[in-house]
Amino acid sequence: MRVATVAYRLSVAGAALCRSATVPQSGIVLHSAVQYGLSDAAAAAHGIGDRPTVLGVVAGSPADRAGLSAQDEVLAIDDAPAGTSVNAAKTLLADALGRGVAWLLVAGPSGRRQIRFHAAPGCPTDVEVLTNPRINAWADGARVTITTGIVQATRSDDELAIVIAHEMAHNILRHCAPSGAEGAASALLPAARSGGAALAMRAMEEQADRFAVGITEAAGYDLAPAVPFLRRLLAETGIAKHAADTHPSGDRRVALLTAAIAQTLERSAQRRPARRIAGNTSASARVSGKM
């Protein structure tokens, strides 16, 4: 649930930055025996049914507050059978939440029950983790894919947040059309490009870095580890060399990220005193009214 929690937090906190493109966020992570190809015995041993089952819920999310919990099997969404496909169930849920409220019929350790909840608005984010030791992440216009290799390379959620936020930014800024392939334009280790296409892709990488800093800061993650993490990634993986056609040079990327963080923190510091002053003014008004 680590990746899901970071992605949810980035999405909801960043809603103001992608106001025209927000989508409902529930905080639910679903899975089923079908997607793993498990035998009935293996599925039962892991507490997974043929129907979409709750793998976990993000703490504090609408699903968590509504009482959904791990191992709850989703039987129906707004009276429509959930079926056996996780993707189909996610679509049903998104449609229901898009209408305002979702009703879920679930069965789990707490028995069969109906759950009703609203979603939180957030930036578009559909993050999948691919079991692969290779350090990589990419966006394809519809979803973000990160490998277990890059998740393990992060030493904190602050570092993981900047990775996910960067790839989310590509989708939010519409840098790539949906493809579902690792060869997507934003991959850390993409296919080689040349000429104008390469220049355009380098510009998109810089835009995504700047946007990612804003989302990460809005979500309350510490930006201090971002530059050291990037330096470590560049040194340990040779990404700057392999992605030279499509990404800014390592030194330029570090400089741009450093500048973006400084600008974001400066803007944040300027907003904080204004909020305190406004709060004090409101408090004074309330006191005056009582007098």
Side-chain angles (χ1 to χ4, degrees):
M1 287 300 296
R2 180 188 174 204
V3 170
T5 298
V6 172
Y8 175 84
R9 184 170 158 184
L10 289 167
S11 172
V12 173
L17 300 177
C18 53
R19 199 169 298 158
S20 63
T22 57
V23 294
Q25 299 294 330
S26 65
I28 303 173
V29 179
L30 296 174
H31 67 159
S32 75
V34 175
Q35 75 185 86
Y36 300 122
L38 297 176
S39 66
D40 291 343
H46 287 86
I48 309 172
D50 288 336
R51 291 189 176 93
T53 304
V54 178
L55 173 63
V57 294
V58 175
S61 68
D64 180 40
R65 293 194 298 271
L68 270 177
S69 57
Q71 296 186 22
D72 277 339
E73 192 175 65
V74 181
L75 306 178
I77 300 171
D78 278 7
D79 294 328
T84 60
S85 166
V86 169
N87 286 336
K90 286 166 67 174
T91 299
L92 281 175
L93 181 59
D95 290 344
L97 291 172
R99 292 189 292 269
V101 181
W103 285 90
L104 271 64
L105 177 63
V106 301
S110 301
R112 181 178 289 221
R113 60 202 193 280
Q114 266 200 328
I115 291 179
R116 174 184 184 274
F117 64 95
H118 297 266
C123 295
T125 176
D126 184 2
V127 182
E128 297 181 356
V129 181
L130 178 67
T131 302
N132 189 324
R134 192 182 189 197
I135 294 177
N136 208 356
W138 60 93
D140 65 12
R143 67 183 58 82
V144 168
T145 303
I146 61 176
T147 64
T148 50
I150 199 165
V151 173
Q152 292 165 1
T154 60
R155 296 175 181 172
S156 67
D157 286 354
D158 299 311
E159 293 183 352
L160 179 60
I162 202 70
V163 172
I164 296 175
H166 175 89
E167 301 304 336
M168 280 176 58
H170 281 299
N171 287 341
I172 293 166
L173 297 172
R174 299 180 180 180
H175 286 166
C176 42
S179 68
E182 187 174 346
S186 62
L188 283 176
L189 299 176
R193 306 289 175 96
S194 60
L199 290 173
M201 290 177 68
R202 283 196 287 270
M204 289 190 296
E205 289 300 323
E206 294 179 6
Q207 290 172 0
D209 275 345
R210 287 192 291 269
F211 196 91
V213 168
I215 294 179
T216 305
E217 193 273 338
Y221 287 105
D222 185 4
L223 291 171
V227 171
F229 170 65
L230 177 58
R231 290 185 188 277
R232 192 172 77 243
L233 207 61
L234 292 169
E236 294 178 359
T237 65
I239 285 174
K241 177 181 177 181
H242 292 294
D245 289 338
T246 56
H247 288 55
S249 69
D251 289 344
R252 176 171 172 78
R253 196 163 187 184
V254 166
L256 290 170
L257 183 59
T258 301
I261 290 172
Q263 291 167 3
T264 298
L265 294 179
E266 182 179 359
R267 286 195 297 268
S268 180
Q270 290 171 349
R271 288 195 300 268
R272 279 195 293 270
R275 284 198 293 265
R276 284 200 296 271
I277 292 170
N280 290 338
T281 301
S282 298
S284 299
R286 286 195 298 273
V287 171
S288 298
K290 290 179 180 178
M291 292 173 68

